[in-house]
DNA sequence: GAGTTTGAAACT
DNA sequence: CAGTTTCAAACTC
């Protein structure tokens, strides 16, 4: 089970928070004051949200302004699991709550000093309850009641991220203990944070606290592991998954005995233009919340409360923009007993869903970049920069620009197993990407990017019904906080074929600025196969693809590879698109929800939510949405002359015809395949035989000379029979027998290299 | 490929 | 909410 802090969840749309993989076996949070205060926003969304589950408030922010010097990489340590743990200077943080708790602090910053691998350093820190989290960075204190881990992450300097791990060891029935009674003892939500490498423009260090709710199963025999799982492409195993400047991740997935641990590799690339390549996510994923530090000073941390209906969406990463001056939040109050080794799975694991929110400054910051010679579609998202380093961010991304060490989250599966040693034994843990054997590769699911845009505050309340991945773009000139909701499919597309470069605020715009490049699949053309069904390109001409007439728009996709004209359904027209979305939602709050409800027990239960309104088609043509969806009309339909019902003979006839046609097609296909195979095989075998001579075909031996000799032999038999005055029947038999012998000699000669010799 | 039909979406 | 218009897909030729 994943535990999401109510606080963080409250900031997120229910749909975003929703994950199919989440099992609601966890006990609702009760004890933590912060958690209690973080009541989840009421949402009527039927989809269970992670928000409902988490007992511990969680705050994740990804930007660190602290100078990199604070992070000191002490060394590396091999963990029992084989992962390499890099020790770094400990940063003590003080939980706001008085209760003892184990905490994991993710401190971003000082990445410059990190190894090139940009690993996230988990520093287990024993912190005293009263310690000040904001001040005591770099120090380690031991708290009797709980354990604190400092995770030094990637990114900009010095903004520590604190992962609080409520200890439930003593309290098996702890209120916050999530799913404690459940067999699966470990449930964590992990937020991975990476910050921009640029430190100069950043302001004071910011402490970010990530609270991790842990199930309390202290008695478990096996060591507990924290698995930081990133939304990683399960396909590409070889590629490095690096998260530069912006990163994150909240861990939604939990490691269970049955489920192989999944690893998230968060690596930071030190370079001016960092790109994050988000690998495609296949399996249903859990929600990943990524908090991105914004470069806007003094701006309060902005929480995203977007009730997006993304239940059906795949893996999504939620990026929250946080300001450098935003105060760190420490929420968890649980006191738990740290297990020797705990695995935290951060997002992206098989059944996890990630939702991604990237902060966007202005629409102008979103750039679609077509790289000549590259089959990938590049999208650059740049937040408004107020700093002096804007020039870099605004520059178009080209192949040459990509050389600037962009941070790329590859589609490659990268597993990071971060075993955490008890405070007594281990103080610092640095997760190391595990690509070696024995590590389980995580499966990626769809990712959807939601970009914060301040320009559309009014839309946010209605985001529940937004199309998956809808981009909410900030109004022009509206600050750099906004939400851009990328179309779900677009994100899906991005995952496979396109790159999205996300550059955060001015701090990122510098040569060391953060650029997140997400690898996204093309619209409807995903190579993943079944995961993404290819969709027809639209042909819209008048709707600008901003009306529900457009299937792309209706499906929450960006138009790509379409035949539409005057298309606004792209990143270049985020504002218009956002307005259109809002308009659609105003007209119909459920406009972007699937029309065909998914039956609980199979397709038979599927039905059109609204029903069709056919008049002439008899509901037996694709004009009818019911028929098109291969479902029968129901009582909700208002169709006239409907023939799309169970006992309809017309329907049966059509079905039979369709089945027959399908069978024919399949047979033809199979026949073609077989024939092709046979031909190919024949050519393969005959070609060398003909050329080599050793295996020549029989006809090659029946030369003119052979035929003449054979005929002479036959004539001789005929003459012989005539001389002996044999009856005609006997003569014919003699001739045929001679012919048989000739053939035998010819055949026997076939295996010989020299020319066959036939003698009567 | 052009033209027609159709029904959902948008509009009034 | 009902009627009309618009629109793009489905369909036909």
């Amino acid at each position: 089970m994943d535990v999401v802090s109510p606080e963080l969840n409250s900031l997120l749309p229910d749909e975003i928070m929703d994950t199919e993989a989440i099992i609601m076996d966890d006990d609702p949070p009760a004890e933590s004051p912060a958690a209690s205060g973080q009541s989840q926003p009421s949402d009527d969304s039927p989809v269970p949200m992670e928000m409902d589950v988490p007992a511990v408030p969680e705050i994740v922010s990804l930007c660190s302004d602290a100078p990199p010097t604070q992070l000191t990489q002490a060394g590396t340590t091999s963990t029992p699991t084989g992962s390499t743990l890099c020790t770094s200077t400990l940063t003590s943080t003080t939980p706001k709550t008085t209760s003892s708790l184990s905490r994991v602090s993710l401190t971003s910053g000082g990445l410059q000093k990190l190894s090139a691998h940009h690993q996230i350093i988990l520093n287990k820190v024993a912190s005293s309850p009263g310690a000040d989290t904001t001040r005591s960075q770099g120090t380690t204190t031991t708290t009797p009641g709980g354990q604190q881990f400092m995770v030094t992450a990637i990114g900009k300097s010095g903004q520590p991220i604190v992962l609080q791990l409520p200890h439930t060891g003593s309290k098996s029935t702890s209120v916050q203990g999530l799913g404690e009674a459940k067999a699966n003892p470990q449930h964590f939500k992990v937020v991975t944070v990476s910050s921009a490498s640029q430190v100069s423009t950043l302001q004071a260090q910011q402490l970010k606290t990530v609270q991790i709710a842990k199930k309390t199963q202290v008695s478990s025999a096996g060591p507990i592991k924290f698995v930081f799982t990133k939304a990683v492409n399960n396909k590409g195993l070889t590629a490095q998954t690096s998260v530069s400047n912006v990163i994150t991740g909240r861990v939604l997935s939990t490691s269970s005995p049955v489920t192989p641990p999944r690893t998230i590799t968060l690596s930071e690339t030190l370079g001016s233009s960092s790109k994050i390549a988000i690998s495609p996510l296949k399996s249903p994923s859990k929600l990943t919340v990524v908090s991105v530090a914004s470069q806007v000073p003094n701006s309060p941390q902005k929480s995203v409360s977007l009730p997006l209906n993304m239940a059906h969406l795949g893996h999504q990463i939620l990026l929250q923009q946080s300001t450098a001056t935003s105060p760190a939040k420490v929420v968890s109050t649980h006191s738990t007993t740290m297990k020797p080794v705990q695995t935290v799975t951060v997002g992206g694991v098989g059944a996890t869903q990630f939702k991604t929110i990237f902060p966007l400054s202005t629409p102008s910051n979103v750039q679609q970049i077509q790289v000549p010679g590259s089959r990938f579609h590049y999208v650059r998202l740049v937040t408004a920069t107020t700093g002096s380093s804007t020039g870099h961010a605004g520059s178009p991304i080209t192949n040459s620009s990509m050389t600037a060490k962009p941070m790329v989250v590859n589609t490659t599966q990268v597993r990071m197993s971060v075993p955490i040693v008890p405070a007594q034994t281990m103080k610092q843990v640095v997760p190391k990407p595990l690509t070696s054997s024995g590590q389980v590769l995580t499966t990626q699911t769809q990712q959807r990017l939601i970009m914060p845009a301040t320009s559309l505050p009014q839309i946010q309340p209605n985001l529940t019904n937004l199309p998956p991945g809808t981009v909410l773009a900030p109004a022009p000139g509206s600050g750099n906080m906004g939400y851009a909701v990328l179309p779900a499919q677009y994100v899906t597309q991005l995952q496979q074929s396109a790159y999205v470069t996300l550059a955060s605020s001015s701090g990122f715009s510098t040569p060391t600025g953060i650029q997140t490049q997400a690898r996204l699949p093309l619209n409807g053309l995903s190579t993943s196969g079944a995961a993404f069904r290819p969709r027809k390109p639209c042909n819209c001409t008048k709707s600008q693809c901003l009306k529900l007439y457009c299937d792309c728009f209706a499906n929450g996709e960006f138009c790509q590879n379409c035949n539409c004209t005057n298309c606004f359904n792209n990143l270049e027209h985020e504002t218009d698109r956002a307005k259109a979305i809002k308009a659609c939602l105003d007209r119909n709050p459920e406009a972007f929800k699937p029309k065909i409800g998914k039956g609980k027990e199979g397709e038979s239960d599927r039905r059109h939510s609204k029903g069709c309104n056919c008049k002439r088609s008899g509901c037996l043509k694709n004009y009818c949405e019911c028929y098109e969806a291969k479902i029968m009309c129901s009582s909700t339909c208002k169709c006239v002359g409907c023939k799309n019902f169970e006992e309809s003979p017309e329907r049966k006839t059509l079905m039979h015809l369709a089945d027959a046609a399908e069978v024919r097609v399949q047979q033809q296909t199979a026949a073609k395949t077989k024939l092709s195979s046979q031909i190919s095989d024949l050519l393969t075998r005959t070609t060398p035989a003909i050329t080599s001579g050793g295996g020549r075909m029989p006809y090659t031996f029946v030369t003119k000379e052979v035929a003449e000799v054979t005929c002479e032999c036959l004539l001789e038999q005929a003459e012989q029979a005539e001389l002996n005055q044999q009856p005609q029947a006997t003569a014919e038999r003699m001739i045929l027998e001679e012919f048989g012998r000739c053939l035998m000699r010819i055949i026997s000669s076939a295996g010989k290299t020299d020319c066959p010799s036939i003698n009567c």
Side-chain angles (χ1 to χ4, degrees):
Chain A
M1 282 300 294
D2 294 341
V3 175
V4 174
S5 66
E7 181 178 1
L8 178 60
N9 290 333
S10 64
L11 299 177
L12 298 174
D14 292 343
E15 291 77 0
I16 293 173
M17 298 302 295
D18 181 15
T19 179
E20 294 177 355
I22 295 172
I23 297 168
M24 299 302 291
D25 57 351
D26 293 340
D27 294 339
E31 291 179 354
S32 175
S36 63
Q38 296 297 327
S39 64
Q40 296 175 345
S42 63
D43 183 5
D44 55 354
S45 176
V47 177
M49 302 302 293
E50 290 180 352
M51 296 175 66
D52 296 338
V53 175
V56 178
E58 179 181 12
I59 296 170
V60 175
S61 65
L62 288 179
C63 103
S64 63
D65 292 338
T69 58
Q70 292 178 347
L71 177 62
T72 300
Q73 182 175 0
T76 61
T77 301
S78 296
T79 62
T81 59
S83 63
T84 300
L85 298 177
C86 296
T87 61
S88 63
T89 59
L90 296 175
T91 298
S92 66
T93 60
T94 300
K96 292 179 180 179
T97 61
T98 58
S99 64
S100 64
L101 52 86
S102 64
R103 296 169 62 187
V104 173
S105 297
L106 294 176
T107 300
S108 64
L111 294 177
Q112 299 81 356
K113 292 184 178 180
L114 293 175
S115 63
H117 296 290
H118 305 293
Q119 294 175 345
I120 295 172
I121 296 171
L122 295 176
N123 293 330
K124 182 177 181 180
V125 175
S127 65
S128 63
D132 183 358
T133 58
T134 59
R135 294 179 304 169
S136 62
Q137 291 178 346
T139 62
T140 300
T141 60
T142 301
T143 299
Q147 293 175 346
Q148 181 177 1
F149 293 94
M150 294 301 293
V151 176
T152 299
I154 316 169
K156 291 179 180 179
S157 56
Q159 182 173 2
I161 294 169
V162 176
L163 294 176
Q164 291 180 345
L165 297 176
H167 289 283
T168 59
S170 62
K171 296 178 180 179
S172 63
T173 60
S174 173
V175 175
Q176 288 180 344
L178 296 176
E180 294 175 353
K182 300 298 181 181
N184 187 357
Q186 297 172 347
H187 296 281
F188 297 96
K189 286 184 178 180
V190 177
V191 174
T192 301
V193 174
S194 67
S195 63
S197 61
Q198 181 178 1
V199 176
S200 63
T201 60
L202 296 176
Q203 294 179 349
Q205 290 179 343
Q206 293 177 345
L207 177 62
K208 301 297 182 180
T209 301
V210 174
Q211 183 175 4
I212 297 171
K214 180 184 75 175
K215 287 184 178 179
T216 63
Q217 182 175 0
V218 177
S219 63
S220 63
I224 297 169
K225 295 179 181 179
F226 285 102
V227 175
F228 288 90
T229 302
K230 175 186 177 182
V232 178
N233 181 2
N234 56 0
K235 289 181 177 179
L237 296 177
T238 58
Q240 288 179 345
T241 298
S242 64
V243 175
S244 63
N245 298 336
V246 174
I247 302 179
T248 48
R250 182 174 71 173
V251 173
L252 298 178
S253 65
T254 61
S255 63
S256 64
V258 175
T259 300
R262 292 177 184 179
T263 321
I264 292 173
T265 299
L266 295 177
S267 64
E268 178 182 2
T269 301
L270 296 176
S272 60
S273 64
S274 297
K275 294 178 181 179
I276 296 172
I278 298 172
S279 65
L281 300 177
K282 293 299 184 182
S283 62
S285 61
K286 292 180 181 179
L287 175 64
T288 298
V289 175
V290 175
S291 173
V292 176
S294 66
Q295 297 301 323
V296 177
N298 296 329
S299 64
Q301 181 176 1
K302 214 169 189 180
S303 65
V304 177
S305 173
L306 298 176
L308 294 177
N309 184 4
M310 303 244 182
H312 61 286
L313 295 179
H315 179 100
Q316 292 179 345
I317 295 171
L318 185 74
L319 294 179
Q320 283 182 335
Q321 181 176 4
S322 63
T323 61
T325 60
S326 65
K329 290 182 180 179
V330 176
V331 185
S332 105
T333 60
H334 283 298
S335 65
T336 61
T337 300
M338 289 298 292
K339 294 179 181 179
V341 176
Q342 291 179 345
T343 300
V344 175
T345 299
V346 178
V349 180
T352 62
Q353 251 186 351
F354 290 89
K355 294 179 181 180
T356 302
I357 294 173
F358 294 95
L360 291 178
S361 61
T362 60
S364 62
N365 290 330
V366 176
Q367 298 175 351
Q368 289 181 345
I369 298 167
Q370 182 64 39
V371 177
S374 174
R375 66 185 184 89
F376 294 102
H377 181 70
Y378 294 90
V379 176
R380 183 178 187 179
L381 300 177
V382 179
T383 60
T385 60
T386 57
S388 61
S389 62
T390 58
H392 177 72
S395 64
I397 296 170
T398 60
N399 289 332
S400 62
S401 67
M402 293 177 68
T403 59
K405 291 180 180 180
M407 291 186 70
V408 174
V409 176
N410 285 341
T411 59
T412 304
Q413 286 181 341
V414 177
R415 288 184 62 80
M416 289 177 66
S417 292
V418 180
I420 296 172
V421 177
Q424 296 80 9
T425 59
M426 178 179 285
K427 297 297 183 182
Q428 295 174 345
V429 175
V430 175
K432 179 181 180 180
L434 297 177
T435 58
S436 63
S437 62
Q439 292 178 346
V440 177
L441 295 177
T442 61
T443 300
Q444 292 259 337
T445 59
Q446 291 179 346
Q447 287 183 345
R448 289 177 174 77
L449 302 176
I450 297 171
M451 297 178 183
T454 55
S455 62
L456 296 174
Q458 68 280 9
I459 295 174
Q460 296 176 354
N462 291 330
L463 293 177
T464 303
N465 294 326
L466 285 176
T470 299
V471 173
L472 297 179
S478 64
N480 54 1
M481 279 301 293
Y483 295 98
V485 179
L486 296 178
Q489 296 300 325
Y490 178 76
V491 174
T492 299
Q493 296 169 351
L494 293 177
Q495 292 173 348
Q496 292 181 348
S497 64
Y499 286 96
V500 173
T501 299
L502 298 177
S504 65
S505 60
S506 61
F508 299 132
S509 63
T510 60
T512 60
I514 294 170
Q515 288 180 347
T516 300
Q517 185 175 15
R519 190 172 185 175
L520 302 176
L522 293 175
N523 182 13
L525 297 177
S526 97
T527 58
S528 62
F532 305 103
R533 183 173 59 87
R535 184 183 53 74
K536 289 183 177 180
C538 72
N539 299 306
C540 304
T541 58
K542 296 180 180 179
S543 66
Q544 296 178 330
C545 296
L546 293 181
K547 299 286 182 67
L548 294 177
Y549 299 129
C550 177
D551 285 346
C552 300
F553 180 80
N555 291 329
E557 301 176 3
F558 282 146
C559 287
Q560 279 186 309
N561 298 326
C562 293
N563 301 320
C564 46
T565 58
N566 194 21
C567 179
F568 278 46
N569 186 24
N570 49 47
L571 283 173
E572 295 176 353
H573 299 87
E574 290 182 8
T575 303
D576 293 334
R577 188 172 184 273
K579 291 178 180 178
I581 292 170
K582 181 180 181 298
C584 290
L585 292 175
D586 290 340
R587 286 189 294 265
N588 180 15
E590 297 181 355
F592 295 102
K593 289 184 177 179
K595 292 179 180 178
I596 306 300
K598 191 172 183 179
K600 294 179 180 178
E601 296 178 353
E603 294 182 355
S604 60
D605 292 336
R606 294 171 62 239
R607 60 185 300 175
H608 199 289
S609 61
K610 229 176 114 179
C612 67
N613 193 27
C614 303
K615 299 292 190 297
R616 297 174 178 271
S617 66
C619 298
L620 291 180
K621 291 189 177 181
N622 284 334
Y623 297 127
C624 176
E625 292 187 348
C626 297
Y627 181 82
E628 187 177 20
K630 294 180 172 61
I631 60 175
M632 285 175 289
C633 292
S634 63
S635 59
T636 59
C637 296
K638 296 175 287 292
C639 45
V640 176
C642 180
K643 297 176 182 177
N644 185 23
F645 54 92
E646 182 66 27
E647 301 300 328
S648 171
E650 292 86 353
R651 175 181 168 277
K652 290 181 179 178
T653 301
L654 284 176
M655 296 301 292
H656 292 159
L657 292 174
D659 292 341
E662 184 177 0
V663 170
R664 283 197 302 270
V665 171
Q666 291 177 351
Q667 290 176 345
Q668 291 176 354
T669 302
K672 288 179 181 178
T673 302
K674 184 178 180 180
L675 181 62
S676 298
S677 177
Q678 290 177 345
I679 293 173
S680 177
D681 183 67
L682 180 63
L683 293 174
T684 301
R685 290 185 301 171
T686 58
T687 300
I690 294 171
T691 57
S692 65
R696 291 184 296 176
M697 297 298 291
Y699 63 86
T700 61
F701 301 98
V702 185
T703 60
K704 181 179 178 181
E705 292 77 10
V706 172
E708 290 177 351
V709 172
T710 301
C711 290
E712 290 177 357
C713 293
L714 298 179
L715 289 174
E716 184 177 354
Q717 288 295 320
E719 292 175 355
Q720 190 69 27
E722 189 176 55
L723 291 174
N724 296 332
Q725 295 180 351
Q726 296 292 333
Q728 184 176 358
T730 302
E732 291 177 354
R733 190 184 68 228
M734 292 174 63
I735 295 171
L736 289 175
E737 289 176 351
E738 178 61 22
F739 183 69
R741 286 190 293 270
C742 291
L743 290 177
M744 291 300 293
R745 285 192 289 270
I746 293 172
I747 293 171
S748 63
S749 302
K752 298 178 182 178
T753 56
D754 55 353
C755 295
S757 61
I758 298 174
N759 296 321
C760 296

